[in-house]
Amino acid sequence: MSAVSVLTKPARARAAVVAGQRPAGIGGWAILLILALFAVGPLIIFVFAAFKTQAEIVENPFGLPADLLWSNFSQAWQQAHMGRGLTNSLVLVAGAVAGTLVIAGLAAYAMARLDLPGGGSVILYLLVSSALPMQMFLVPLFFIWTRTGLYDTKLGLIIIYCATLTPFATLLLRAFLLTLPRELEEAARIDGAGELRIAARVILPNALPGILTVALITALATYNEFLFAVTFLESDEQMPVSTSFFAFQQSYVQNTALTAAAGLIMLVPMLAIFLVLQRRFVEGMANTGMAA
Amino acid sequence: MTAPTVTVPETAPATRTGGRPRRRSVSRRTRLIAWLFMVPLIVVNVTVILWPGAQSVYYSFTDWSGIGTGNWIGFGNYTRMLHDEEFISALKHNLVWTVVSLIAPMLLALLGAYLLSRVRRFQVLFRLAYFIPYTVATVVSAAVWENLLSPDSGLGNLLGVNFLGDQDLALGTVAGVNTWAFWGFLVVIFLASMQSVNPALYEAAALDGAGPFRQFVSITLPSIRPTLVFLVVQTIVWSFLAFDFVFILTQGGPAGATDVLSTLLYRNAFSNLEAGYASAIGVVMALFTAIVVITYQVLRRVRKWEA
Amino acid sequence: MNRTPTGLSRRNLLKLGAGGALATFLGACAGGAEAPGAKGKSGKLTVWAGFASKEAEDWYRANVLEAFNKKYPNVPADLVIKQFDTMAQQQQTALAAGAGPDIVGGSGPAALREYAAAGYLLPLDDYAKKLGWNDRVLGWAMKTGVVDGKLVALPTNYESMQIFYNPATLAKHGWTYPKNRAEFEAICREAKGKGIIPVSAGNADYKDSNEWHVSVFLNHIAGPDAVRQALKGEAKFSDPVFVDAIEQARGYFTQGWWGGAVDRYFTNTFPQQYQQVAKGEAVFNITGTWGLGEIGPFFGKEGGNDAEWAWGAIPSLRDGVPENIWELAVGGTRSINAKSANPDAAADFMDFHLQDPKLQGRALAEANFAPPPIAMSESDFPADLDERVSSLYAAFGDAAQVGYTTWTFFPPKTDTFIIEGWEKLITGKLTSQQYCQQIADTFGPELAAGVVPPLPE
């Protein structure tokens, strides 16, 4: 905390001048930079590794690569079946996000806007069920999934993701919906609009930042999930990128460069989504009760 | 079961012509609709969580090996836990993990978010930088840190320390890697919360001569308290579930120094063929979580926090 | 680019019963084998298999799978590639849910007994008779698949333990390959003094590799006779011969002879261990025959050096323990799922891997698949097979006396404790006396319960 006191003076001086904005000062910027370095530094070394030869990594593990070995990426792309994996991940992410939004959206709407009777215990239940060790569910789930034909299908996996992600998503959306003024739908209701129509036409547009926030969190969780994917999918053709990467990493532990290249490729889609959604995301967080 | 929700919108044209609807009937119908809206959640939750959860509770009272069938042994698994050194040490490690997670990522995130909330330039860039580790898959970040900490070529070599091989350092190291992966998520949420604080409060404080630190303590912290409490609760809950990094980086070693409840559960279920005991561990983990969550709920109600 | 099996895969190979075996871990989800309503694949054997490398997979597809499907076109086999790390868990999950593969892979006695007891596995005695397995599979290996008097599994391959070293390193320091404890310890002491790691070792990639070392210590320090007596219940694992052996071994670890230091043992990876031998940073490496398929790329051109590797027999590490002892191990097993709809086809598939010794010889030479425990003559191995590989198998085959590996001949809970407890021993949380006492305490009930695997004659 002592570092903070360093920036006391300039910050105060400028704060008084620029209304509404409270600059951080040089010390503040320094801390921000150090934190950024802490976050990204290890990954930069990883990025370097992706461009090196294996021998170079052994000799010079942390420095800049001598040449940019772009072929690592094409090699990793091919050998880790990343094209197929990314396509499958896309389907899984889209399915899980859509399913979670619908399920959690309806539930959150019922809790926040329709005064669901017994809502308090529902919240408690959701909190607890978002916090269970999923490892112990594998066998019972497998039992149901093989008997319903959901085993080794993307739909089956999507249902699992929807179920495991909805508790948190519902709580988040509910908190968000609580912040919207009641008058919004009261008027529509008096006009005789049905509940679904009210939800879709009146609440949905206003709740967009919260919805996108949930979408982002769901997408990330689905994209990186591994234990369920590897247990409930069997065919190569179904495997998402997280399991392909793991498979690849296992058989290529020796080759840190290719592993790094594959890891970077895997990172790109999620970064892109975050970049696109980040403004909405922060807005969403700001407007939920979570961030009230 | 799920079909009714689709037909819900076509409700009572009577209200359209009947002028002002009677409040009571609307309310009763709304309640019904409210529960209909819950149906999809209930269906998936019962299938994927409640039913398997109930089965796990049943298994926890058996000596099921994970293979074939088990015998009912009552509370045998639970009493065994009380005397199981591995369980007790794993529980202690979870507590250490919780404490580390409540301090390191929280402080980093509060610091980062507070400073970020004071700047506009490059804010997006920093936000992105902080958030990146959270988007990296665990298998990838584990590989990154294993190389980075290596006692042969990495930081470990530089400092002459074997972070993951030393019994006294391993747990802290793994929790540290988890901190790295996790704190950026907290930054984004804290930042969002901080940005909704009324700027006038800061202006007033600045005019009173309060520096950034005083402003943080007297304005920011109280304003984001609900968020803070919520994240504290979440962090405790997540700390009890800690699994990925331990599993990948140390497999609970060296000599059990990083064993946590969920790795113990996994090992019992799949390596030791003690699925009944593993289920009991899972049930106890769930109970811990429930206690934390209920405490939070009670506090919220007593203190009348929003949301 | 190095595409050989690496640490991660090797460790899993072993534990999950693949051990470098052909097709390693097998399971087949055939049609009606699955639970009602499950995705039907009738008339097909879907085989789960894990491979150490893409090359190994391709080789297997081209040379084994296609040949099998040509020979048995009625119920063709279809490969599903699985990862070693999660395959055992997946298979256990599937079997417990009443579904799962037709051909069940196994790693050793632990899961096999449980699977058999739960009725997951089809007794194979009729197939063994019909297809003549008893005439082809080595007797001791065949016995490891017998549970409660019934044959439930076929061994896929066999393994032993040996030392890898770099002859140039020995020459450089004026050492000769050790024949006994005194010579071995003299080299270790001298090497340690020079800052060289006597034995490269580490379990970072595979925690259970602890038991490789314990198996070596039990057989080469305490001696195979003592182990055999203890396994039969005629002696106790808490007897002085074991306590002394473990104390001696503990000393090897705490002096830093194994892996350089105790803490390093926990972070050393397999590739690192081979590299250390290649670079002369370590003198020896103790591993199993599966290492034959891994060590190559770290030496010579591929490894970016001009080093050579060689193997040697693990010396007797106590006076009175004979030389030339080779540990016996089965690397993996195949069984037929009791719910298989195509058990005959599954049996044919298992049989196919035992039919052609020449094919197995080529598998070893071209893709580093460890040979199955069938009688093979020299002419079965192709001429271009690395002489070091063939001579190792030959030496193992001529063993004067065999030792007993923990993963093949010890009952499951004892085996688990041996692995877990070892880390506590070397970190000072258990004394040698306590470690041995706890092995004995775990073993006793398992012996009484009759779950100790059968020993070779």
Side-chain angles (χ1 to χ4, degrees):
Chain A
M1 276 296 143
S2 65
V4 177
S5 57
V6 174
L7 57 117
T8 306
K9 258 193 183 150
R12 189 200 308 164
R14 244 176 287 162
V17 181
V18 188
Q21 208 170 342
R22 310 167 307 282
I26 292 175
W29 282 107
I31 295 172
L32 284 174
L33 267 178
I34 290 169
L35 287 176
L37 213 63
F38 169 64
V40 186
L43 293 168
I44 291 176
I45 294 163
F46 197 61
V47 174
F48 289 168
F51 288 101
K52 292 177 184 174
T53 64
Q54 184 57 31
E56 201 182 341
I57 291 178
V58 176
E59 293 307 316
N60 171 22
F62 301 124
L64 276 165
D67 296 300
L68 293 184
L69 204 68
W70 286 101
S71 61
N72 280 346
F73 289 90
S74 53
Q75 235 182 316
W77 176 271
Q78 275 190 337
Q79 288 170 10
H81 302 295
M82 298 201 80
R84 189 182 67 197
L86 285 170
T87 316
N88 287 332
S89 288
L90 187 75
V91 175
L92 287 174
V93 167
V97 167
T100 305
L101 284 180
V102 169
I103 297 169
L106 286 172
Y109 186 79
M111 289 162 73
R113 313 304 283 194
L114 301 176
D115 304 319
L116 181 79
S121 10
V122 175
I123 292 174
L124 186 64
Y125 174 76
L126 289 178
L127 276 170
V128 173
S129 74
S130 72
L132 297 176
M134 293 295 159
Q135 294 93 337
M136 63 186 214
F137 294 170
L138 293 178
V139 171
L141 266 182
F142 203 95
F143 190 86
I144 304 170
W145 256 229
T146 46
R147 273 158 184 75
T148 48
L150 288 169
Y151 175 64
D152 199 25
T153 65
K154 291 198 194 75
L155 177 67
L157 196 56
I158 287 171
I159 291 175
I160 294 177
Y161 289 150
C162 285
T164 53
L165 295 170
T166 36
F168 187 75
T170 305
L171 293 172
L172 204 66
L173 275 179
R174 171 187 165 272
F176 190 88
L177 291 177
L178 282 178
T179 64
L180 297 180
R182 278 265 169 178
E183 291 73 33
L184 273 178
E185 79 264 31
E186 292 288 324
R189 201 167 281 146
I190 287 166
D191 282 352
E195 289 303 337
L196 258 196
R197 186 174 305 169
I198 294 173
R201 295 277 165 79
V202 181
I203 303 297
L204 188 76
N206 285 295
L208 207 57
I211 290 170
L212 290 174
T213 304
V214 171
L216 180 69
I217 292 175
T218 310
L220 267 176
T222 305
Y223 189 74
N224 288 334
E225 204 284 329
F226 174 76
L227 187 65
F228 285 122
V230 91
T231 306
F232 289 93
L233 294 179
E234 178 181 289
S235 326
D236 272 355
E237 298 75 47
Q238 305 278 4
M239 291 300 174
V241 73
S242 58
T243 57
S244 327
F245 174 83
F246 180 71
F248 178 72
Q249 195 213 17
Q250 274 211 322
S251 42
Y252 292 82
V253 176
Q254 187 52 22
N255 200 320
T256 321
L258 285 189
T259 310
L264 280 185
I265 296 175
M266 196 180 154
L267 188 57
V268 170
M270 282 305 112
L271 276 188
I273 292 183
F274 179 68
L275 265 180
V276 171
L277 293 186
Q278 61 91 18
R279 195 168 295 261
R280 293 288 200 171
F281 179 63
V282 175
E283 234 177 280
M285 284 298 178
N287 291 334
T288 51
M290 217 170 132
Chain B
M1 266 281 266
T2 49
T5 48
V6 181
T7 58
V8 167
E10 305 309 322
T11 42
T15 47
R16 192 172 291 162
T17 49
R20 180 172 295 188
R22 274 166 299 151
R23 175 118 201 140
R24 185 160 230 193
S25 75
V26 169
S27 156
R28 188 183 296 155
R29 204 191 64 219
T30 311
R31 282 180 185 181
L32 179 67
I33 294 168
W35 275 105
L36 285 176
F37 274 32
M38 295 298 289
V39 168
L41 183 136
I42 293 168
V43 170
V44 292
N45 194 285
V46 166
T47 318
V48 179
I49 294 177
L50 190 62
W51 170 240
Q55 283 199 288
S56 292
V57 173
Y58 169 75
Y59 291 143
S60 77
F61 293 103
T62 70
D63 63 358
W64 189 47
S65 69
I67 295 168
T69 49
N71 305 307
W72 185 267
I73 54 164
F75 283 90
N77 288 322
Y78 293 92
T79 48
R80 173 181 163 188
M81 226 175 280
L82 296 174
H83 306 288
D84 182 356
E85 279 174 38
E86 285 192 331
F87 173 80
I88 291 162
S89 111
L91 183 61
K92 277 185 197 153
H93 295 154
N94 273 107
L95 292 176
V96 172
W97 187 282
T98 309
V99 171
V100 172
S101 302
L102 283 178
I103 296 171
M106 284 284 170
L107 286 185
L108 282 176
L110 282 172
L111 178 64
Y114 181 59
L115 289 174
L116 264 193
S117 75
R118 301 172 68 92
V119 304
R120 198 156 286 171
R121 225 191 285 171
F122 305 122
Q123 204 210 53
V124 174
L125 216 61
F126 279 111
R127 213 191 284 162
L128 180 68
Y130 297 168
F131 196 71
I132 283 177
Y134 185 74
T135 64
V136 181
T138 317
V139 263
V140 179
S141 12
V144 170
W145 280 97
E146 227 164 350
N147 288 334
L148 202 63
L149 296 173
S150 158
D152 296 285
S153 53
L155 273 180
N157 190 35
L158 225 59
L159 304 172
V161 178
N162 189 353
F163 288 101
L164 292 168
D166 187 318
Q167 292 182 78
D168 300 324
L169 296 177
L171 184 63
T173 305
V174 181
V177 173
N178 186 62
T179 297
W180 172 81
F182 177 58
W183 75 284
F185 178 72
L186 299 181
V187 168
V188 177
I189 298 177
F190 279 138
L191 180 61
S193 180
M194 287 175 187
Q195 283 181 333
S196 59
V197 178
N198 185 357
L201 291 175
Y202 290 112
E203 277 161 43
L207 287 177
D208 284 347
F213 185 69
R214 282 259 322 272
Q215 290 180 20
F216 176 77
V217 173
S218 58
I219 298 171
T220 313
L221 272 187
S223 309
I224 65 164
R225 200 189 50 200
T227 308
L228 190 64
V229 175
F230 176 78
L231 287 179
V232 164
V233 171
Q234 276 298 336
T235 303
I236 295 173
V237 167
W238 284 330
S239 296
F240 270 94
L241 295 176
F243 178 75
D244 294 9
F245 280 114
V246 178
F247 193 67
I248 300 172
L249 285 174
T250 60
Q251 300 165 65
T258 57
D259 239 349
V260 286
L261 290 177
S262 58
T263 53
L264 191 68
L265 186 162
Y266 190 88
R267 199 168 62 237
N268 273 299
F270 294 111
S271 304
N272 297 1
L273 303 177
E274 302 249 24
Y277 188 50
S279 299
I281 295 173
V283 170
V284 169
M285 287 169 73
L287 285 179
F288 281 132
T289 309
I291 291 169
V292 173
V293 166
I294 289 170
T295 313
Y296 169 60
Q297 288 292 90
V298 169
L299 268 178
R300 252 179 29 139
R301 201 155 298 170
V302 172
R303 302 278 183 93
K304 300 216 165 57
W305 290 331
E306 251 300 288
Chain C
M1 292 296 107
N2 183 352
R3 300 184 192 161
T4 53
T6 59
L8 259 176
S9 27
R10 176 219 305 95
R11 66 187 219 232
N12 304 297
L13 276 166
L14 198 130
K15 184 60 186 178
L16 301 179
L22 273 179
T24 55
F25 201 61
L26 298 173
C29 282
E34 287 186 352
K39 199 174 62 175
K41 286 181 191 167
S42 221
K44 216 174 186 183
L45 280 178
T46 309
V47 176
W48 288 7
F51 293 94
S53 67
K54 182 75 180 135
E55 279 75 5
E57 180 192 330
D58 291 344
W59 191 94
Y60 183 81
R61 280 184 191 279
N63 294 282
V64 181
L65 192 72
E66 274 184 28
F68 173 79
N69 288 343
K70 220 174 188 179
K71 191 165 176 184
Y72 301 93
N74 291 339
V75 187
D78 191 19
L79 273 195
V80 172
I81 305 302
K82 290 281 175 184
Q83 298 316 308
F84 297 121
D85 248 4
T86 47
M87 198 148 53
Q89 174 248 312
Q90 285 171 50
Q91 183 176 263
Q92 190 187 317
T93 305
L95 288 171
D102 290 75
I103 293 185
V104 178
S107 59
L112 198 61
R113 273 173 190 279
E114 294 279 348
Y115 286 178
Y120 292 174
L121 308 179
L122 204 67
L124 301 174
D125 299 281
D126 291 344
Y127 288 116
K129 218 171 282 163
K130 194 173 116 197
L131 299 167
W133 288 341
N134 285 307
D135 305 330
R136 276 183 283 155
V137 180
L138 302 177
W140 70 266
M142 197 76 171
K143 262 179 105 175
T144 61
V146 176
V147 172
D148 294 333
K150 281 189 198 132
L151 180 71
V152 294
L154 267 192
T156 55
N157 67 308
Y158 62 113
E159 343 177 285
S160 192
M161 300 293 298
Q162 78 288 325
I163 287 181
F164 283 134
Y165 66 100
N166 179 351
T169 309
L170 291 188
K172 184 181 161 196
H173 299 280
W175 297 320
T176 51
Y177 188 82
K179 286 270 179 291
N180 54 43
R181 176 180 178 183
E183 292 174 18
F184 176 77
E185 292 187 353
I187 293 178
C188 289
R189 202 167 292 119
E190 213 183 313
K192 188 72 190 163
K194 291 181 175 181
I196 302 171
I197 300 168
V199 179
S200 70
N203 72 354
D205 285 335
Y206 180 47
K207 191 175 160 126
D208 291 6
S209 65
N210 295 346
E211 66 177 329
W212 305 347
H213 301 285
V214 181
S215 291
V216 165
F217 296 139
L218 287 175
N219 288 292
H220 291 267
I221 304 180
D225 291 335
V227 177
R228 190 182 175 90
Q229 282 170 2
L231 286 174
K232 287 181 129 178
E234 295 159 5
K236 285 205 163 68
F237 282 107
S238 50
D239 289 348
V241 62
F242 292 109
V243 177
D244 293 348
I246 292 301
E247 180 61 21
Q248 181 181 331
R250 194 184 66 85
Y252 290 168
F253 268 73
T254 50
Q255 290 171 76
W257 289 3
W258 256 247
V262 169
D263 66 286
R264 287 302 183 92
Y265 176 76
F266 293 114
T267 50
N268 287 337
T269 65
F270 290 124
Q272 238 180 326
Q273 294 166 41
Y274 290 124
Q275 259 158 9
Q276 286 166 346
V277 174
K279 288 182 176 169
E281 293 167 3
V283 188
F284 305 117
N285 173 246
I286 296 183
T287 187
T289 41
W290 52 87
L292 289 170
E294 303 162 358
I295 192 167
F298 297 91
F299 288 76
K301 217 202 234 155
E302 246 189 293
N305 54 47
D306 53 5
E308 288 273 339
W309 63 269
W311 64 264
I314 299 168
S316 156
L317 294 174
R318 179 171 70 90
D319 291 342
V321 172
E323 283 176 39
N324 201 20
I325 291 168
W326 288 83
E327 278 84 3
L328 277 186
V330 161
T333 60
R334 293 187 191 110
S335 308
I336 301 179
N337 190 333
K339 297 199 171 171
S340 172
N342 297 301
D344 295 349
D348 287 337
F349 186 79
M350 285 159 66
D351 186 66
F352 186 76
H353 293 85
L354 307 170
Q355 286 175 6
D356 181 2
K358 284 208 159 51
L359 178 65
Q360 306 307 330
R362 276 210 298 132
L364 177 63
E366 293 167 16
N368 285 317
F369 287 116
I374 54 175
M376 291 175 72
S377 64
E378 216 163 297
S379 63
D380 293 330
F381 296 99
D384 59 346
L385 176 62
D386 189 327
E387 190 272 329
R388 292 170 294 190
V389 175
S390 50
S391 63
L392 175 53
Y393 278 104
F396 173 24
D398 295 339
Q401 200 177 351
V402 296
Y404 309 94
T405 51
T406 51
W407 60 97
T408 302
F409 296 104
F410 282 53
K413 291 205 165 73
T414 307
D415 189 28
T416 303
F417 174 75
I418 283 174
I419 296 167
E420 298 283 329
W422 183 253
E423 298 191 357
K424 293 187 176 139
L425 175 79
I426 60 176
T427 53
K429 289 180 181 164
L430 286 180
T431 64
S432 299
Q433 175 72 51
Q434 288 167 328
Y435 180 64
C436 290
Q437 187 60 50
Q438 289 192 38
I439 294 177
D441 292 346
T442 318
F443 179 78
E446 291 195 292
L447 180 71
V451 296
V452 179
L455 294 173
E457 296 306 327

